[in-house]
Structures are given as structure tokens and as C-alpha cells.
Amino acid sequence: MQRQPLDAGQLRRSVIESPELSFFQQIDVVETTGSTNADLIARAGEPDADRTVLLAEAQQHGRGRHARTWVSPARAQIAMSMLLRLPEIEPASLGWLPLLTGVAVVDALRATAGVAAYLKWPNDVLIDGRKVAGILAEVAAGDQGPAVVVGIGLNVSLTEAELPAPHTTSLILAGAKEADRTVLAQSLLTEFAGRFTTWRDRNWATADLAAAYRDRCSTIGAEVRAELPGGRTLTGVAGGIDDAGRLLIGDQAVSAGDVTHLRAEY
């Protein structure tokens, strides 16, 4: 399959020419790397690294939550990370950043790719019950203060034979109306910038963000089984998301960092 490269020039120009994308300082594209998240974490101490975006045509060591691998043929995915400094945010609010990113990804895919994307808590993006995108946020420390690197991995043109697992899918397989990765990357960044700016301007208040997340999350209302550290499990109906972004199962709240696996409708 002939896969087109990202248009690095167009992405760089969009920071200057697009009001929505002027939120970002720069957008870089590399042919291959180990991990875009790791690359930006290594740059966290640089004074001009805030709001930097890095995309790779191929990743050798892409990661998801709990160190799970995220692999793809070259140019078949969007592997993208963003570095953000949040010096004024309360630590308790940081957990909302990956959830906000999930909302932005869902909205970008619905609007640009025309697919019925939705969220599985905390931040897997699904189409027809199969995972099309994942999000990983990691805290980085540096001389410029704390920063967070948010990575997005999106399957775009993978065939059935190229999928990393049976429960995954790609935009092409889901019948997306748009599969140009440059257009998709711009849409993802535009949605993220808008969501993040609104959140920041409201002094990190989460009421509206939580409402948007709940509206897009299919886990709520489903029978779930959460696998917890130490071999423990928690089963019940996912009743909602609390103000800290934790999933409510029965009368208990579980955080994303505590759940190893979450299965719905078991």
C-alpha cells in the first residue's frame, strides 16, 4: 500500500496562518523515533519547548498506559505528542488533561473523519467497540517548571492484517470520509487547542469539561469489571464520572492509575 507522508511544511505554516493553531509554538515532523513522548520529555527543560508538537512517521517504541506497546507500519498512523507547561494548575486537576484530550480526539474524528467515535474510560477512543486511538499523558520535570507531555496514537490506514490486536481498528476500516493524516492532525490539534484554552480561561474549572466527557463516554451505564493491582477485581454498573475524573462503580471510585484493565458488558 502506498502511503503518503505528512505535509510537514503545511503543518509548520498552520501555526502562523491558522488562528486556531497559533496556540502552538511549533510543529515538527520526524521520519522515525523511539517515542514522541520520550523525545519531548527529554526537551522539557528547554525554555522554548512549551506548546511544542512532535509527530513521527514511524515509532519504534510507542507506549500506551501501563507500558503497553503501540505499534504500526510507517505512515499508517498519527503518532503525535504535545508538551505543555501548566504552572498555575492545581495538581488534583492534572488528571483531567488526558480526559480533555480524549474529548478533543472524539470531536475531531466525528467532524473530520465522519466516524461515530466515542470514549471508553479513561481515554481509549473506540469505533464500533474497537479501539482506534489511545492517549498517554506523562509528567516531565525541568528547570522551567513542571510540564506534561500528552501523546496521541491514532490508527489511520492499517489493514485488518496489520492491526496489532483483534479489538483494534483503523479509520480506513471504519469507513472514514477523510484519511489524509495532515488534515486529521490539524483537526486533532485544533480541537485540543480550543478545549484546553477554554479550560485554562475558566481557571481549570471542570464542570463543563466533565459534562462533555460524560456525553461522549460509552462506559457510563455499562456493566464493567475493573482489574485492580494485586489481582483484585471490582464489578458493577459504571454509574458515572466524579469531579476528579474517576470512574464510579457501584459506591466506589477508581482512578485510571489504579485500573489495569477495564472490561464492559462482561
Side-chain angles (χ1 to χ4, degrees), residues 22-34:
S22 63
F23 168 84
F24 297 102
Q25 298 292 331
Q26 65 184 82
I27 302 176
D28 298 321
V29 178
V30 297
E31 189 63 31
T32 185
T33 190

Side-chain angles (χ1 to χ4, degrees), residues 96 103 195 198-199 202 205-216:
W96 277 101
V103 171
R195 285 278 174 190
T198 298
W199 186 39
R202 294 177 180 173
T206 60
D208 290 344
L209 175 56
Y213 182 89
R214 294 180 183 115
D215 184 58
R216 293 157 179 77

Side-chain angles (χ1 to χ4, degrees), residues 14-23:
S14 65
V15 172
I16 301 170
E17 299 172 355
S18 169
E20 295 84 0
L21 292 180
S22 63
F23 168 84

